[in-house]
């Protein structure tokens, strides 16, 4: 496998948190705290949809990219309550999270739907952050690698190597999300290496060497350096700890 230098990417998934004024205050603080870090790490925030436009304006020229938390696969039409990928692109989103476990578990997202969402994101000129991960029952049944492989294969169906090389995958064990119980660095590394190996089998060594794989699930300032120090961990997808500028900035610093 080609050894590529992958730029780390730390993304904050705010989920259904922060009103627009709160979102503006958070990025103002965050911007000040990450300003001195240069461009060694890519920093992304994924606020609720309604905050995207004001943040797009507020972040003009800032080294902070915007992401949507989900999108529909059609570009427009009679889909009440949904948001399309071109709409997110127009608001300055560079990334869209697809297949988050909360979408899969609470809203019934399937691997096929995750694939359609990722295709819409790509078609709109953005990069998908594709989330995969096993439940506690699946881990205890020794199904982790099988589940993650099924999810990665499903999400990447029909994509070419040149697309996948630019994608971000996020390994997020469901049992680690919002629980305060992160995967150990060794557990994360094992799954990340397996995912990269799968990408090499599905595509080629260069693609596998370039695709970035984030870890997510109870990432905090005090465990970030160890997780991010693993050879196949290229960044973090952060929920709870992304809601306070100081906590999130400390994780970004750990990635530098
Ligand atoms: P957490 O969430 O950091 O609060 O565990 C991670 C995620 O859901 O992306």
């Amino acid at each position: 496998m080609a050894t590529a230098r992958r730029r780390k990417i730390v993304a904050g998934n705010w989920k259904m948190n922060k009103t627009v004024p709160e979102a503006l205050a958070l990025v103002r603080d965050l911007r000040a705290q990450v300003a001195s870090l240069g461009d060694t790490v890519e920093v992304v925030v994924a606020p609720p949809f309604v905050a995207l436009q004001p943040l797009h304006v507020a972040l003009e020229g800032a080294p902070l990219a915007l992401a949507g938390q989900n999108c529909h696969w059609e570009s427009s039409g009679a889909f009440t309550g949904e948001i399309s990928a071109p709409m997110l692109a127009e608001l300055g989103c560079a990334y869209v999270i697809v297949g988050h476990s909360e979408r899969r578990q609470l809203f019934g997202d399937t691997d096929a739907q995750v694939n359609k969402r990722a295709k819409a994101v790509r078609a709109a000129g953005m990069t998908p952050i594709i989330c995969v991960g096993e439940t506690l029952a699946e881990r205890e049944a020794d199904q982790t690698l099988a589940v993650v492989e099924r999810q990665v294969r499903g999400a990447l169906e029909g994509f070419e190597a040149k697309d996948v090389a630019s994608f971000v995958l996020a390994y997020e064990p469901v049992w680690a999300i919002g629980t305060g119980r992160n995967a150990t660095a060794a557990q994360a590394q094992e799954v990340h290496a397996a995912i990269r190996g799968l990408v090499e089998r599905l595509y080629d060594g260069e693609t596998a060497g370039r695709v970035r794989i984030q870890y997510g699930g109870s990432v905090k300032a005090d465990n970030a350096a160890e997780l991010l120090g693993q050879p196949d961990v290229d960044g973090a997808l952060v929920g709870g700890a992304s809601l306070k500028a100081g906590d999130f900035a400390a994780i970004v610093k750990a990635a530098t």
Side-chain angles (χ1 to χ4, degrees), residues 13 15 100 172 176-178 217-219 237-240:
N13 172 14
K15 309 190 182 185
H100 189 279
E172 298 206 303
I177 294 178
S218 296
V219 177
L237 183 54
V238 185

Side-chain angles (χ1 to χ4, degrees), residues 8-11 192 213-216 228 232-237 255:
K8 293 246 192 307
I9 176 167
V10 176
H192 283 231
I213 310 173
Q214 295 176 311
Y215 167 78
L228 287 160
D232 288 297
V233 178
D234 306 314
L237 183 54

Side-chain angles (χ1 to χ4, degrees), residues 173-255:
V174 178
W175 47 270
I177 294 178
T179 59
R181 181 185 164 198
N182 60 285
T184 64
Q187 285 172 326
Q189 170 56 26
E190 183 197 8
V191 179
H192 283 231
I195 293 172
R196 202 177 302 286
L198 174 62
V199 172
E200 179 164 21
R201 278 187 278 132
L202 293 175
Y203 297 94
D204 51 57
E206 198 200 319
T207 306
R210 284 177 55 201
V211 68
R212 291 184 292 177
I213 310 173
Q214 295 176 311
Y215 167 78
S218 296
V219 177
K220 305 273 182 277
D222 61 8
N223 60 26
E226 200 191 348
L227 286 159
L228 287 160
Q230 301 304 305
D232 288 297
V233 178
D234 306 314
L237 183 54
V238 185
S242 71
L243 297 174
K244 287 196 184 136
D247 293 351
F248 189 59
I251 294 168
V252 174
K253 279 188 194 117

Side-chain angles (χ1 to χ4, degrees), residues 45-204:
V45 292
F49 290 131
V50 292
L52 285 168
Q53 167 71 3
L55 292 197
H56 180 39
V57 174
L59 289 174
E60 165 123 48
L64 282 174
L66 279 178
Q69 295 179 11
N70 183 36
C71 71
H72 196 268
W73 48 85
E74 296 291 342
S75 50
S76 64
F79 302 101
T80 301
E82 294 294 309
I83 303 280
S84 75
M87 292 171 182
L88 297 177
E90 197 189 15
L91 294 184
C93 288
Y95 297 93
V96 181
I97 298 169
V98 297
H100 189 279
S101 65
E102 286 150 20
R103 301 292 325 170
R104 293 178 190 261
Q105 295 205 311
L106 304 174
F107 302 99
D109 268 26
T110 63
D111 289 330
Q113 288 174 339
V114 173
N115 177 248
K116 289 203 281 184
R117 295 186 204 281
K119 285 193 172 129
V121 171
R122 188 81 203 102
M126 301 176 291
T127 300
I129 298 176
I130 298 168
C131 302
V132 299
E134 82 288 0
T135 62
L136 185 58
E138 288 163 342
R139 176 162 281 267
E140 286 173 346
D142 221 4
Q143 289 297 305
T144 298
L145 297 182
V147 167
V148 167
E149 170 160 346
R150 188 203 76 223
Q151 292 172 332
V152 172
R153 279 181 182 273
L156 297 183
E157 179 77 44
F159 280 113
E160 294 176 17
K162 66 172 168 25
D163 297 315
V164 176
S166 70
F167 284 2
V168 178
L169 303 176
Y171 169 55
E172 298 206 303
V174 178
W175 47 270
I177 294 178
T179 59
R181 181 185 164 198
N182 60 285
T184 64
Q187 285 172 326
Q189 170 56 26
E190 183 197 8
V191 179
H192 283 231
I195 293 172
R196 202 177 302 286
L198 174 62
V199 172
E200 179 164 21
R201 278 187 278 132
L202 293 175
Y203 297 94
D204 51 57

